């Protein structure tokens, strides 16, 4: 026996096991002591000196006399309700407002019958429970049903048949305007509805009434847009150049604002340009708002926090661009955002300019498209040759257009098209058909000089597609990838940092709970610098919206605690939609 004891003592694995067990027990005790200290700091745990209803008897002094020993009582802290909005304290017990409203979902729950253990830890555990989250979602969704029932009762008092008929006619008028159909087609659409069995009366069945209905719809939409702009605290403006049906150069204006807790883009209008310089674009933008807003039509500038456009100097120029004029008139806090698709397009165009092989492929695809787009005869010959070779020929696609990258992808996909279950290298399909037809066009005497010239250039296709994987192209591929990466980093890197300094867009990441640390101690200081920077930058529009600037940091701490305790399962968009639209959060 003594020998066994000495062996166990000498065994390092046994010593390690017992040592780890002792350390884990010690850590558990320290953790419990730490939680109790936190509860005491929070005001949850108060020690009662005088004997109370929960006092218990115990051993007295050494002489054996019996006495009473005071125990610790847990006291309810009303400040918990600032974090846990659902918490109710009644008759010495804690209750959950959400679970009480849906007892079937809550089931056997201490916060339905009343929890007498007045501990913060109990409240936190209940907030994290699955049944509590189900009751929370059900309680919030019920608010919308009450409104729908009230509207339904109001509509029931109206003439349902008259409203039904008017709705159909206004829908037809809206369709006429939306699809740019002549007003004279309005009666014929009535007849079509009749033929399809729709019970629609002939009242207002003429083009003049159609014009009146469209005008009324436009007035209502304009009024709704005006109300949205006036009720919005902040908004962003997005502009882009376009042309109308008469080929007049215009500027189309959008706004981006938060509606029902979600960001939406809304068309403001289209205005013809008096001049194509920066002031001309800015004046057209102001005219679009003046056609909607009342008064001078410039109240929107007080709410403007961001401006988006393509990267042309007339829009984004720091000295004389549209954004520079807006910052001068409204405030330097306005964030200019270069259009994201345009950034990507410019990055890819850099690849085309710097890598010669990419430029060759681009020019070749454009040449093939021109050959068959402008010559019906060449297109018919291509399809005929494809039928003889058993190839399903697709119409060549252009590589140039308003969406540069999708055009390139589509053109390559068509050009390198091969049948299902076939290998591109061994059975190139459309590639081989185009090559053979180009060879025929160079020798054909019936073709024009222009077509023959394009065909001779197209003879650079000579070879097979498997040559595209030749080892000699490896360095060109590597160079193209590196050029593309450098261009994307250059174009998009300014969103995160500008000359090494953090940008406002980077600071906004603090509002995304997915990026928050899980540790409560780290969460306490997380994002404080970012929120302070945003509050300083946007002080003018914040004060204009009635914001109490000194309270921002205090409310920021409360917001972090509220979200981490009550909504850890919510996604970014769902969370902010709830906080901005549902009581008590939207008014808190």
């Amino acid at each position: 026996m003594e020998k066994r004891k000495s062996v166990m003592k000498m065994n390092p694995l046994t010593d390690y096991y017992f040592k780890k067990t002792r350390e884990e027990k010690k850590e558990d005790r320290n953790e419990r002591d730490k939680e109790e200290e936190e509860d005491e700091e929070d005001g949850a745990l108060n020690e009662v000196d005088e004997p109370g209803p929960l006092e218990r008897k115990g051993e007295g002094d050494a002489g054996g006399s019996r006495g009473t020993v005071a125990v610790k009582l847990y006291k309810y802290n009303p400040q918990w309700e600032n974090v846990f909005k659902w918490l109710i304290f009644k008759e010495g017990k804690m209750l959950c407002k959400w679970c009480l409203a849906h007892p079937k979902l809550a089931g056997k729950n201490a916060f339905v019958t009343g929890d007498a253990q007045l501990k913060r830890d109990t409240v936190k555990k209940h907030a994290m429970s699955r049944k509590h989250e189900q009751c929370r979602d059900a309680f919030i969704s019920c608010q919308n049903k009450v409104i729908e029932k009230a509207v339904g009762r109001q509509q029931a008092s109206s003439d349902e048949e008259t409203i039904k008929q008017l709705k159909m006619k206004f829908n037809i008028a809206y369709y006429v305007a939306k699809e740019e159909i002549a007003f004279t087609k309005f009666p014929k659409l009535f007849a079509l509805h009749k033929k399809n069995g729709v019970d629609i009366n002939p009242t207002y069945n003429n083009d003049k009434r159609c014009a009146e209905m469209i005008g009324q719809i436009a007035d209502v939409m304009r009024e709704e847009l005006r109300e949205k702009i006036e009720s919005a605290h902040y908004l962003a403006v997005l502009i882009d150049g376009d042309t109308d049906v008469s080929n007049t150069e215009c500027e189309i204006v959008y706004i981006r604002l938060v509606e029902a807790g979600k960001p939406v883009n809304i068309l403001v209008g289209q205005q013809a340009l008096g001049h194509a310089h920066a002031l001309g674009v800015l004046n057209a933008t102001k005219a679009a708002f003046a056609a909607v807003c009342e008064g001078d039509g410039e109240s929107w500038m007080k709410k403007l926090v961001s401006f988006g456009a393509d990267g042309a100097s007339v829009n984004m120029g720091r000295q004389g661009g549209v954004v520079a004029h807006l910052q001068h008139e409204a405030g330097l806090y306005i964030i200019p955002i270069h259009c994201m698709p345009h950034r990507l397009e410019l990055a890819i165009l850099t690849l085309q300019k710097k890598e010669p092989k990419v430029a060759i492929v681009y020019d070749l695809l454009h040449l093939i498209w021109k050959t068959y787009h402008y010559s019906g005869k060449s297109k018919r010959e291509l399809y005929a040759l494809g039928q003889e070779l058993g190839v399903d020929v697709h119409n060549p696609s252009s590589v140039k257009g308003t969406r540069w990258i999708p055009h390139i992808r589509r053109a390559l996909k068509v050009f390198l098209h091969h049948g299902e279950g076939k290998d591109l290298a061994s059975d190139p399909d459309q590639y081989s058909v185009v090559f053979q037809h180009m060879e025929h066009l160079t020798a054909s005497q019936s073709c024009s000089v222009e077509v023959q010239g394009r065909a001779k250039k197209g003879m650079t296709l000579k070879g097979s597609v498997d040559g595209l994987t030749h080892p000699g192209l490896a360095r060109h591929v590597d160079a193209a990838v590196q050029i593309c990466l450098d261009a994307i980093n250059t174009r998009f890197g300014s969103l995160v940092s500008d000359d090494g300094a953090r940008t406002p867009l980077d600071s906004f990441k603090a509002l995304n709970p997915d990026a928050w640390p899980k540790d409560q101690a780290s969460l306490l200081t997380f994002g404080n610098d970012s929120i302070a920077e945003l509050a300083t930058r946007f002080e003018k529009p914040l004060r204009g919206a009635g914001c109490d600037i000194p309270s921002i940091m205090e409310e920021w701490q409360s917001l972090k605690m509220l979200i981490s305790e009550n909504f850890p399962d919510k996604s970014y968009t769902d969370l902010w939609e709830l906080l901005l639209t549902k009581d008590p959060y939207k008014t808190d």
Side-chain angles (χ1 to χ4, degrees), residues 170-181:
F170 271 87
N171 283 334
I172 296 173
Y174 179 81
Y175 176 79
V176 169
K178 180 73 173 178
E179 298 298 324
E180 301 180 1
I181 302 172

Side-chain angles (χ1 to χ4, degrees), residues 223-235 255 257-260 266 293 299-300 303 544-545:
E223 179 65 21
E224 290 179 350
L225 176 58
R226 182 185 65 80
E227 292 176 356
K228 289 178 181 179
I229 294 176
E230 290 181 352
S231 61
H233 292 302
Y234 322 100
L235 54 86
I255 57 171
L257 48 79
V258 175
E259 183 180 7
I266 303 175
C293 302
S299 59
W300 59 275
K303 305 176 181 181

Side-chain angles (χ1 to χ4, degrees), residues 250-467:
C250 301
E251 199 72 22
I252 189 167
V253 182
Y254 294 87
I255 57 171
R256 184 171 177 85
L257 48 79
V258 175
E259 183 180 7
K262 291 186 177 181
V264 294
N265 296 329
I266 303 175
L267 173 66
V268 176
Q270 183 189 48
Q271 288 291 326
L273 288 177
H275 300 280
H277 50 60
L279 284 176
V281 174
L282 180 58
N283 290 334
T285 304
K286 292 180 178 180
F289 279 98
V292 176
C293 302
E294 294 181 348
D296 58 1
E298 295 189 6
S299 59
W300 59 275
M301 295 184 67
K302 299 177 182 178
K303 305 176 181 181
L304 183 63
V305 295
S306 180
F307 172 79
D310 60 36
S313 58
V314 69
N315 294 324
M316 307 303 289
R318 295 189 177 184
Q319 300 297 326
V322 177
V323 65
H325 288 288
L326 279 174
Q327 289 176 335
H328 176 73
E329 294 187 30
L332 295 175
Y333 54 83
I334 295 176
I335 302 176
I337 298 181
H338 182 183
C339 171
M340 299 299 168
H342 192 232
R343 286 176 187 254
L344 185 59
E345 177 182 343
L346 293 176
I348 303 300
L349 284 174
T350 303
L351 169 64
Q352 179 187 338
K353 293 177 181 178
K354 291 187 176 181
E355 177 51 52
K357 289 293 183 181
V358 174
I360 291 173
V361 173
Y362 181 87
D363 294 338
L364 184 61
L365 292 173
H366 182 62
L367 180 145
I368 293 171
W369 172 78
K370 286 181 64 177
T371 300
Y372 299 106
H373 180 75
Y374 293 108
S375 175
K377 179 175 179 292
S378 298
K379 187 185 295 185
R380 289 193 299 272
E381 291 177 351
L382 179 66
Y383 283 121
L385 181 60
Q387 289 180 351
E388 292 181 7
L389 297 177
V391 175
D392 184 16
V393 175
H394 290 218
N395 192 27
S397 178
S398 174
V399 293
K400 294 184 178 181
T402 55
R403 293 174 295 276
W404 191 86
I405 298 173
H407 281 301
I408 288 287
R409 180 181 179 277
R410 184 165 54 251
L412 280 171
K413 186 177 180 180
V414 170
F415 180 62
L416 300 178
H417 169 75
H418 56 93
E420 185 177 356
K422 296 181 180 180
D423 181 69
L424 177 63
S426 60
D427 194 352
D429 283 354
Q430 179 142 330
Y431 166 83
S432 61
V433 176
V434 171
F435 168 69
Q436 293 186 40
H437 186 245
M438 288 284 183
E439 194 173 29
H440 164 73
L441 291 177
T442 55
S444 176
Q445 300 297 325
S446 60
C447 295
S448 65
V449 176
E450 184 179 1
V451 172
Q452 284 185 339
R454 285 199 295 263
K456 288 179 181 179
K457 291 182 180 179
M459 287 303 293
T460 54
L461 292 168
K462 192 171 184 179
S464 60
V465 173
D466 56 356

Side-chain angles (χ1 to χ4, degrees), residues 29-66:
R29 288 195 300 270
N30 293 337
E31 187 67 25
R32 288 196 298 270
D33 294 339
K34 185 179 179 181
E35 290 180 357
E36 290 181 359
E37 290 176 1
E38 291 177 352
D39 287 341
E40 290 176 355
E41 291 175 359
D42 191 50
L45 186 61
N46 292 320
E47 200 173 302
V48 181
D49 295 329
E50 67 277 4
L54 297 181
E55 65 184 10
R56 61 179 176 84
K57 293 182 178 181
E59 295 296 330
D61 52 16
S65 62
R66 303 182 64 86

Side-chain angles (χ1 to χ4, degrees), residues 34-199:
K34 185 179 179 181
E35 290 180 357
E36 290 181 359
E37 290 176 1
E38 291 177 352
D39 287 341
E40 290 176 355
E41 291 175 359
D42 191 50
L45 186 61
N46 292 320
E47 200 173 302
V48 181
D49 295 329
E50 67 277 4
L54 297 181
E55 65 184 10
R56 61 179 176 84
K57 293 182 178 181
E59 295 296 330
D61 52 16
S65 62
R66 303 182 64 86
T68 59
V69 179
V71 298
K72 292 182 180 180
L73 295 178
Y74 291 91
K75 185 178 179 181
Y76 180 80
N77 189 345
Q79 294 182 359
W80 296 346
E81 297 176 4
N82 296 331
V83 177
F84 306 98
K85 301 294 184 179
W86 45 267
L87 189 59
I88 303 173
F89 184 70
K90 187 176 181 181
E91 298 179 356
K93 295 182 179 181
M94 296 188 298
L95 302 167
C96 175
K97 178 170 62 177
W98 294 343
C99 295
L100 286 173
H102 300 277
K104 292 184 179 180
L105 288 176
K108 294 181 179 180
N109 192 325
F111 278 75
V112 175
T113 59
D115 193 330
Q117 296 182 5
L118 309 180
K119 297 176 65 176
R120 179 185 173 89
D121 187 55
T122 306
V123 180
K124 291 173 64 176
K125 287 182 179 178
H126 178 72
M128 299 294 292
S129 65
R130 180 176 58 84
K131 291 185 177 181
H132 171 77
E133 293 175 352
Q134 292 175 348
C135 294
R136 175 201 65 195
D137 295 338
F139 181 86
I140 293 172
S141 64
C142 283
Q143 298 182 32
N144 295 332
K145 296 180 181 179
V146 175
I147 298 174
E148 292 174 1
K149 289 180 181 178
V151 174
R153 293 194 191 99
Q154 181 66 27
Q155 291 179 345
S157 62
S158 303
D159 187 350
E160 295 183 359
E161 183 59 29
T162 303
I163 294 176
K164 179 182 177 182
Q165 290 287 333
L166 286 174
K167 278 185 176 181
M168 286 191 290
K169 294 166 187 177
F170 271 87
N171 283 334
I172 296 173
Y174 179 81
Y175 176 79
V176 169
K178 180 73 173 178
E179 298 298 324
E180 301 180 1
I181 302 172
F183 291 173
T184 54
K185 299 294 183 181
F186 189 65
K188 296 181 180 180
L189 290 172
F190 266 62
L192 177 62
H193 279 66
K194 276 279 188 182
K195 189 174 183 179
N196 288 331
V198 179
D199 183 17

Side-chain angles (χ1 to χ4, degrees), residues 500-518:
R502 184 168 55 185
T503 65
L505 294 179
D506 190 40
S507 298
F508 274 115
K509 291 193 297 184
L511 297 174
N512 186 0
D514 294 336
W516 291 2
K518 302 300 181 182

